[in-house]
Every structure is written in structure tokens, then in C-alpha cells.
Amino acid sequence: MSAFPIVETEANVTRQVMADHPDLMVVTFAFGKEGAAGSLHNHPHVQSTYVAEGRFRFTIDDETFEVGPGDSFVIPSGAVHGCVCLEPGKLVDCFTPRRDDFL
């Protein structure tokens, strides 16, 4: 069980750090409603995303694609990215190095 709190990041979106180390962080994002969004943003961390539940439309730089349970992909450092929830669900993101702004 994670000792980190659940934090609301956007309307109908929550984040919880599951594990962290200076070199790596594992975070879950729960999307509770169709249309909930992770706003476009970028960061210096390399990010991998695994779709545990639900369906999402992701944009990474100029590419847009849909993903569902079991899908995974990598977001390069500095890439502008975000998503829209198509079916409520959960994403598991890993960041390297750790996202100190999430602590």
C-alpha cells in the first residue's frame, strides 16, 4: 500500500505516487469520467505509460492515437503531451528521473 496521498490534478482526475527513488517514480492516474483530461504539458523526464483500465486518446507532439487496456508507450523527454479519457480508467506512469514536483 502506498504511503502517498491521492491528489486531485484536474476535474475527475487523481494522482497517487506508488513508489519512488531518485532515479525512478511509479504513479497511478485515475480518470473517473469520460471527457476528463490530462492537459497538454511537457517535462524533462522520460515517461512510460501503461493503460491498466479504460480507453484514452493521447497526443504526443503532432501525433494523436487511442489506447486501451494492456497498451503501453514511451513519451520522450520534452515532448508536449496530454490525453482525453474515452472510457473511465487508470494509467500507470513511470518517470525517470523521479518527479520531485509530485512529492
Side-chain angles (χ1 to χ4, degrees):
M1 180 171 199
S2 178
F4 294 96
I6 297 172
V7 176
E8 186 172 10
T9 60
E10 309 257 0
N12 298 299
V13 181
T14 60
R15 171 184 79 219
Q16 185 174 29
V17 174
M18 303 306 292
D20 82 300
H21 177 277
D23 297 329
L24 179 69
M25 177 178 269
V26 180
V27 181
T28 59
F29 286 88
F31 291 74
K33 185 176 180 183
E34 180 181 339
S39 299
L40 287 173
H41 65 286
N42 69 344
H43 45 73
H45 312 82
V46 175
Q47 173 181 334
S48 69
T49 296
Y50 171 76
V51 183
E53 305 168 8
R55 295 200 59 77
F56 299 86
R57 180 179 304 114
F58 267 84
T59 299
I60 301 175
D61 288 333
D62 295 328
E63 182 183 1
T64 299
F65 55 94
E66 292 185 13
V67 292
D71 290 335
S72 62
F73 52 93
V74 172
I75 301 170
S77 172
V80 175
H81 61 284
C83 70
V84 174
C85 177
L86 303 175
E87 294 176 14
K90 186 179 289 187
L91 303 174
V92 179
D93 290 346
C94 296
F95 299 94
T96 184
R98 169 178 65 198
R99 292 281 306 255
D100 289 335
D101 56 323
F102 286 2
L103 296 176

